[in-house]
Amino acid sequence: MAHQNNFPFVLKTTAAIAAVLTLVLVLLHHFFPLSWLFSAAISTATTCYHFTMRLAVGYTVPLLVPPSAATAVWFRPRTFEDKLYRTLKVKRWKDHMPTYDPTSFSLKHNSLEQIVYNSCVSEAVHEVIFLFSFVPLFFVLLWGAFPVFLITSIFAAAFDSCFIMIQRYKRPRLIRILSKKEANGL
């Protein structure tokens, strides 16, 4: 029996629940101006932002990554990365991270060339999410609570940096396999 990927459902459901809770809490706070309702509304609004933003970026960025991305300078490995990934033991934990669409990295569904391209797309998506994770810091101007917004932004960005590292760790290996395959005329 094939493993079912529930990750897209979890992301979408969490975003929807957070949106509904935010609306309910904002309305309740309007009629009952209690500080805990205000804090709860901010928390659910921030959660809603992080999940909705991830979904929006995940749908938008792939439309912007050109087919030639795998040869772009941005996606080439840097000299320090191999040592960094060994130090962080990326090989050990990379397969335990959730994947939104596992078929995009499957040789059963894609050519090796397509998987390399998909890794560039995935990296770009997570890099944009990484940057957008800090947008909630602007809410500090409206509501204060700088430490809360900073901590949630750092944790969100750190989570997405894991996915960036995974793509940057595996892509050079995939390209080497692809090069050997092409050199052998396969």
Side-chain angles (χ1 to χ4, degrees):
M1 187 163 145
H3 174 70
Q4 185 177 1
N5 182 22
N6 292 326
F7 196 52
F9 175 78
V10 169
L11 282 178
K12 292 172 186 175
T13 303
T14 303
I17 290 170
V20 170
L21 281 175
T22 298
L23 182 62
V24 169
L25 290 166
V26 165
L27 288 172
L28 283 172
H29 181 262
H30 179 73
F31 293 108
F32 308 102
L34 302 169
S35 63
W36 71 267
L37 282 173
F38 182 68
S39 296
I42 289 173
S43 297
T44 57
T46 305
T47 301
C48 180
Y49 166 77
H50 280 288
F51 281 85
T52 304
M53 174 270 294
R54 278 169 174 67
L55 291 166
V57 169
Y59 288 121
T60 307
V61 170
L63 303 173
L64 305 173
V65 178
S68 61
T71 59
V73 173
W74 184 260
F75 295 109
R76 290 186 195 151
R78 309 295 187 268
T79 54
F80 67 89
E81 286 181 301
D82 195 41
K83 185 177 180 183
L84 173 67
Y85 301 147
R86 271 188 272 123
T87 301
L88 296 174
K89 299 179 179 12
V90 173
K91 184 177 182 176
R92 243 191 229 168
W93 53 262
K94 69 179 178 59
D95 294 329
H96 301 287
M97 296 295 284
T99 304
Y100 191 84
D101 181 11
T103 61
S104 63
F105 301 106
S106 165
L107 279 171
K108 199 186 271 187
H109 298 95
N110 300 284
S111 66
L112 196 51
E113 293 88 349
Q114 186 63 42
I115 293 173
V116 169
Y117 171 75
N118 291 346
S119 79
C120 293
V121 170
S122 179
E123 179 185 334
V125 164
H126 289 288
E127 287 167 343
V128 172
I129 291 172
F130 179 94
L131 294 173
F132 282 9
S133 292
F134 293 97
V135 167
L137 290 175
F138 291 107
F139 299 139
V140 169
L141 301 172
L142 295 171
W143 300 311
F146 177 75
V148 174
F149 286 111
L150 180 64
I151 290 167
T152 58
S153 292
I154 289 172
F155 277 118
F159 182 69
D160 280 284
S161 70
C162 294
F163 295 102
I164 295 167
M165 285 188 277
I166 289 169
Q167 299 310 323
R168 294 194 64 81
Y169 169 82
K170 71 180 185 178
R171 191 170 38 255
R173 288 150 182 80
L174 294 171
I175 290 172
R176 278 196 297 276
I177 293 168
L178 186 59
S179 296
K180 286 180 184 176
K181 183 180 157 189
E182 289 171 353
N184 292 331
L186 299 174

